């Protein structure tokens, strides 16, 4: 099975968020896809198959723990491989939950069209704040579609310095996929910074996360009064993306670098 590792949301190798991208020639069981994702040990591995319609592919995403409905960096990584190996400039992904993702090549950049989801008001539990190393937050909301709690704090430097206690974090809440912490950037290059911790459903920290822009872009767009923004993920690997907020959708724009390609031997 042709397989790749692609660093997404960066133009430099070994930065951004690495994703596995697999192109099975026949359908794989969910159990086998999960085992392959565990073998890679990356935050996400995508499984992509052609359909009988030109430029249209099915895509499924697996963390080392479970199948994930939607993943930004694995989508970007998959598109990077397809654009490299075909003459396509526009492709269409269909996820396991029938979300349609339209992707375009724009020079060296890749433009992904993602849906936009609403958030609801929420309360930050003291145990979660303690596990994250926070004493206070500016605002708390919840994304029901993503099952993610979002905490806004006032200082981007504090955000970059967070060192969560992941055992305590898992114990602080149940029934969610992750917690996202965000802050205004405080500089002219980016509009906001963020980090995403998801030991409930994947790895401890996702290095760069695109799927959260389904609600985070709208949150900051409304707060800042902007439709066009730049976001920076201040994880150890770092990563960036540009955002264009439109009615009912958000365009996520960035780059990716293929760092490995080869054949994965899959035994029956």
């Amino acid at each position: 099975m042709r397989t790749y590792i692609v660093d997404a949301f960066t133009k430099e190798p070994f930065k951004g968020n690495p994703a596995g991208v697999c192109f099975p020639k026949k359908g794989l069981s969910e159990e086998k896809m999960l085992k392959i994702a565990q073998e890679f040990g990356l935050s996400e591995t995508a499984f992509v198959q052609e359909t009988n319609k030109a430029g249209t592919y099915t895509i499924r995403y697996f963390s080392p723990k479970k199948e994930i409905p939607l993943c930004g960096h694995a989508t970007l990584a998959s598109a990077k491989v397809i654009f490299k190996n075909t003459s396509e400039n526009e492709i269409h992904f269909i996820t396991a939950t029938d979300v349609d993702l339209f992707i375009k090549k724009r020079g060296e950049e890749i433009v992904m069209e993602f849906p936009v989801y609403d958030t609801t008001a929420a309360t930050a539990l003291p145990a979660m704040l303690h596990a994250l190393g926070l004493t206070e937050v500016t605002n708390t909301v919840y994304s029901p579609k993503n099952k993610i709690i979002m905490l806004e704090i006032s200082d981007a430097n504090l955000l970059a310095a967070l060192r969560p206690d992941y055992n305590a974090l898992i114990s602080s809440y149940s029934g969610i996929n992750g917690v996202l912490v965000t802050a205004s950037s405080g500089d002219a290059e980016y509009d906001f910074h963020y980090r995403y911790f998801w030991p409930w459903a994947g790895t401890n920290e996702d290095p760069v996360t695109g799927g959260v822009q389904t609600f985070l872009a709208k949150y900051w767009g409304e707060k800042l009064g902007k439709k066009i923004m730049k976001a920076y993920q201040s994880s150890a690997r770092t990563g960036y993306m540009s955002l264009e907020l439109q009615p009912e959708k958000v365009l996520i724009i960035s780059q990716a670098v293929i760092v490995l390609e080869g054949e994965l031997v899959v035994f029956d």
Side-chain angles (χ1 to χ4, degrees):
M1 180 171 62
R2 200 69 185 162
T3 305
Y4 300 78
I5 293 178
V6 183
D7 291 340
F9 295 118
T10 182
K11 56 184 178 182
E12 299 178 55
F14 314 123
K15 287 186 175 291
N17 199 353
V21 183
C22 300
F23 292 87
K25 295 179 180 178
K26 62 179 181 178
L28 299 175
S29 68
E30 292 180 3
E31 179 184 12
K32 185 153 288 185
M33 286 188 280
L34 181 59
K35 285 182 177 179
I36 292 169
Q38 291 168 342
E39 185 76 6
F40 275 112
L42 303 171
S43 60
E44 215 80 54
T45 297
F47 296 85
V48 181
Q49 285 189 279
E50 292 184 73
T51 69
N52 55 14
K53 185 176 180 181
T56 300
Y57 303 80
T58 62
I59 187 167
R60 296 179 72 172
Y61 315 95
F62 283 78
S63 80
K65 293 184 178 179
K66 59 188 286 189
E67 184 169 11
I68 304 298
L70 182 63
C71 175
H73 86 278
T75 302
L76 182 64
S78 301
K80 175 69 176 183
V81 174
I82 293 171
F83 287 142
K84 174 183 177 291
N85 293 336
T86 72
S87 59
E88 304 280 0
N89 289 313
E90 297 186 14
I91 54 177
H92 173 203
F93 287 131
I94 304 172
T95 73
T97 54
D98 291 325
V99 174
D100 294 303
L101 304 174
F102 296 95
I103 320 295
K104 295 180 181 180
K105 184 179 179 183
R106 183 192 291 175
E108 294 299 314
E109 293 185 322
I110 293 172
V111 182
M112 305 188 296
E113 182 181 303
F114 270 47
V116 169
Y117 302 135
D118 290 326
T119 56
T120 59
T123 301
L125 296 180
M128 176 176 280
L129 297 185
H130 181 73
L132 289 165
L134 295 171
T135 56
E136 61 180 1
V137 298
T138 302
N139 192 24
T140 305
V141 298
Y142 177 66
S143 170
K145 194 76 174 180
N146 297 282
K147 295 183 179 179
I148 294 172
I149 293 174
M150 191 214 79
L151 308 174
E152 182 191 347
I153 62 176
S154 59
D155 188 346
N157 291 322
L158 174 60
L159 172 64
L162 290 180
R163 299 294 181 267
D165 179 337
Y166 291 105
N167 289 330
L169 190 59
I170 291 174
S171 300
S172 72
Y173 215 98
S174 61
I176 61 173
N177 285 330
V179 56
L180 182 145
V181 187
T182 186
S184 178
S185 76
D187 62 58
E189 188 173 2
Y190 296 99
D191 293 286
F192 63 89
H193 292 195
Y194 66 105
R195 292 174 69 184
Y196 181 50
F197 309 106
W198 66 319
W200 296 270
T203 54
N204 283 340
E205 180 174 5
D206 198 30
V208 195
T209 318
V212 296
Q213 299 299 348
T214 53
F215 66 91
L216 190 58
K218 182 178 181 180
Y219 177 87
W220 278 110
E222 291 177 348
K223 188 177 181 73
L224 300 175
K226 290 185 174 184
K227 299 292 185 184
I228 298 176
M229 295 170 285
K230 289 187 176 181
Y232 179 78
Q233 195 146 341
S234 50
S235 65
R237 289 177 64 103
T238 70
Y240 67 90
M241 64 200 72
S242 298
L243 305 165
E244 295 181 15
L245 194 58
Q246 300 181 359
E248 308 300 325
K249 64 184 177 181
V250 59
L251 302 185
I252 304 172
I253 306 156
S254 194
Q255 298 186 48
V257 182
I258 298 171
V259 295
L260 182 148
E261 57 181 298
E263 299 287 338
L264 177 67
V265 179
V266 182
F267 296 97
D268 293 329

